[in-house]
Amino acid sequence: MAAAGPGLYSEIGKKARDLLYKDYHTDQKFTLTTYAANGAAITAASTRKDEAIFNEIQSQLKHNNVTVDVKATSESNVITTITVHELGTPGLKAILCVPFPYQKSAKAELQYLHHHAGVAASVGLNANPVVNLSGVFGTKAIAVGADAAFDTSSGDLTKYNAGLSYTTPDFVAAATLNNKGDNIAASYYHSVSPTTAVGGELSHSFSTNGNTITFGTQHALDPLTTVKARFNNYGMASALIQHEWRPKSLVTISTEVDTKAIEKSSKVGLSLVLKP
């Protein structure tokens, strides 16, 4: 049902964002997934960023329409997420997220996907919660939506965004108003062939009167290997190559260079994902 409708608010402009920003890393990350006899997926991940190393282990168990995720991090945080799909009616999903030891950050969320709407609502499970509401209305081709957050302790709107999108089989255009109206952005994604896509994003900040323009492209060298590149008006150039060397196992090498300061060393990132 979701595929025939406009989706959730987070999907407005997602095609262009994924093209321009997804899988670009300047750190080193290793992820290993195994499966227990009862079907539980166990994922261990380690990330090295600058001189710091962050580790986490996650277990996921699915039973009928219920998924339970438990994640433990090297900062001694444990996050439990319970998701119930198709809750009573097609398209309705319930999510309960409980972190420990920061239980005050727990929240409950409902998502509903329809042929002409995508609605999400979440509320913090504490005495003075933050309430988030978002909605998208329209069709798979044309959609308009809004996203807002209300802090019940202060009575303030802490977030309000709006967006619209236009989608065809090979072209997606989107415009969004973010950061309480301070930032406006327009983006596009164009699949020029079965193996090549291009995209771009223009963002303007009213408070700083600054513009950011980013262009990017991706090309499939073969069914298992993809290359991507991007460049923005501040002179930052990035490129990556990603290879699926076995099913669902990926190695990604990316680099970032400041073309206005070539004397500075470039940043190189490496990501290795192993799945059985």
Side-chain angles (χ1 to χ4, degrees), residues 200-221:
E201 180 183 61
L202 168 62
S203 177
H204 176 77
S205 172
F206 293 103
S207 60
T208 64
N209 200 33
N211 297 313
T212 302
I213 304 172
T214 306
F215 291 104
T217 184
Q218 70 178 28
H219 176 70
L221 298 176

Side-chain angles (χ1 to χ4, degrees), residues 124-146:
L125 302 180
N126 54 63
N128 299 294
V130 173
V131 179
N132 285 269
L133 295 171
S134 68
V136 179
F137 304 92
T139 65
K140 185 72 174 176
I142 301 175
V144 60

Side-chain angles (χ1 to χ4, degrees), residues 33 37-38 61 71 73 77 89 92 115 124 131 135 160 173 188-189 206-207 213 217 226 234 243 270 272:
T33 299
N38 63 353
L61 180 63
K71 181 193 293 186
T73 71
N77 298 323
T89 185
L92 182 62
H115 287 295
V131 179
Y160 45 88
Y188 79 96
Y189 170 94
F206 293 103
S207 60
I213 304 172
T217 184
T226 300
Y234 293 103
H243 179 66
L270 172 65
L272 182 62

Side-chain angles (χ1 to χ4, degrees), residues 1-35:
M1 178 169 290
L8 297 175
Y9 183 83
S10 58
E11 294 175 35
I12 293 180
K14 185 176 184 298
K15 272 280 193 178
R17 289 196 304 272
D18 285 351
L19 172 67
L20 296 173
Y21 305 110
K22 186 179 179 181
D23 295 323
Y24 285 100
H25 303 286
T26 56
D27 44 30
Q28 290 75 48
K29 184 173 184 179
F30 176 78
T31 304
L32 173 65
T33 299
T34 61
Y35 293 91

Side-chain angles (χ1 to χ4, degrees), residues 47-106:
T47 302
R48 183 179 185 272
K49 188 170 185 178
D50 297 326
E51 298 302 318
I53 297 178
F54 306 93
N55 300 304
E56 65 181 41
I57 186 168
Q58 180 176 354
S59 176
Q60 182 184 84
L61 180 63
K62 297 181 179 180
H63 180 69
N64 295 330
N65 65 329
V66 179
T67 302
V68 179
D69 282 280
V70 180
K71 181 193 293 186
T73 71
S74 54
E75 288 81 29
S76 301
N77 298 323
V78 178
I79 303 170
T80 301
T81 304
I82 302 172
T83 304
V84 182
H85 304 268
E86 309 297 329
L87 181 63
T89 185
L92 182 62
K93 179 193 296 185
I95 304 169
L96 176 65
C97 181
V98 181
F100 181 85
Y102 305 106
Q103 294 95 327
K104 289 185 178 181
S105 299

